[in-house]
Amino acid sequence: MTADVSYGRLDDDDYPAYTMGRAAEMIGTTQSFLRAIGEARLITPLRSAGGHRRYSRYQLRIAARARELVDQGTPIEAACRIIVLEDQLEEAQRINAEYRRAAEAVEAVEAVEAANPPAAA
C-alpha cells in the first residue's frame, strides 16, 4: 500500500491503523485487557501481514467504553454484553426513526392528495 492510499484512510473509523501497544496507550489500558475483550468477541482486531493485531478508531471507542464499565466494577463479560445491547438499542432507534420519517412523508402526501382530489372526468 502506498503512502497516498494510506493517507486517504486516516479519516476512516474502520481502518486498522493502531498497533496493540499504541491502542492500549491511547485508551489508557493494558494489552491484556485488549486481548480479553477480543477473546470475549466484543471486538475482532484485524491482523497485519506479520500476524500482529491492528485496531481501528471505532474498535478503540468500543474498548474505551468497556474499560469505563470495568473501571466501575462491572465484570468484563457483563461489560461486553452491555456494550452489545447498547449497540443493538442504538441501531433499533435509528431504524425506528427512519420508519417514523417514512410514515410522516406518506401521511403528508396523503394529506395533500385528500386536500386536492383529482377532478372528475
Side-chain angles (χ1 to χ4, degrees):
M1 182 176 302
T2 66
D4 290 340
V5 173
S6 294
Y7 181 76
R9 293 185 171 193
L10 290 178
D11 290 334
D12 184 352
D13 273 355
D14 295 318
Y15 182 67
Y18 305 100
T19 63
M20 177 180 274
R22 180 69 179 126
E25 179 183 313
M26 288 174 69
I27 63 171
T29 193
T30 63
Q31 293 180 22
S32 63
F33 179 78
L34 291 175
R35 279 192 290 277
I37 62 174
E39 290 169 8
R41 297 181 186 258
L42 179 61
I43 58 176
T44 304
L46 291 176
R47 299 283 182 148
S48 68
H52 300 283
R53 290 174 179 90
R54 307 283 295 188
Y55 296 88
S56 68
R57 287 192 314 229
Y58 174 73
Q59 290 172 324
L60 293 184
R61 283 194 297 274
I62 292 171
R65 175 68 177 130
R67 179 82 259 168
E68 179 183 315
L69 290 169
V70 169
D71 287 348
Q72 294 172 2
T74 306
I76 195 163
E77 297 81 13
C80 292
R81 184 67 180 138
I82 288 167
I83 293 166
V84 167
L85 291 170
E86 287 174 342
D87 188 54
Q88 290 173 346
L89 175 60
E90 183 179 326
E91 178 67 9
Q93 289 172 331
R94 184 192 62 77
I95 291 168
N96 283 341
E98 287 178 16
Y99 286 149
R100 211 171 290 118
R101 283 189 297 273
E104 289 169 357
V106 168
E107 288 173 3
V109 168
E110 289 173 347
V112 167
E113 289 173 349
N116 301 307

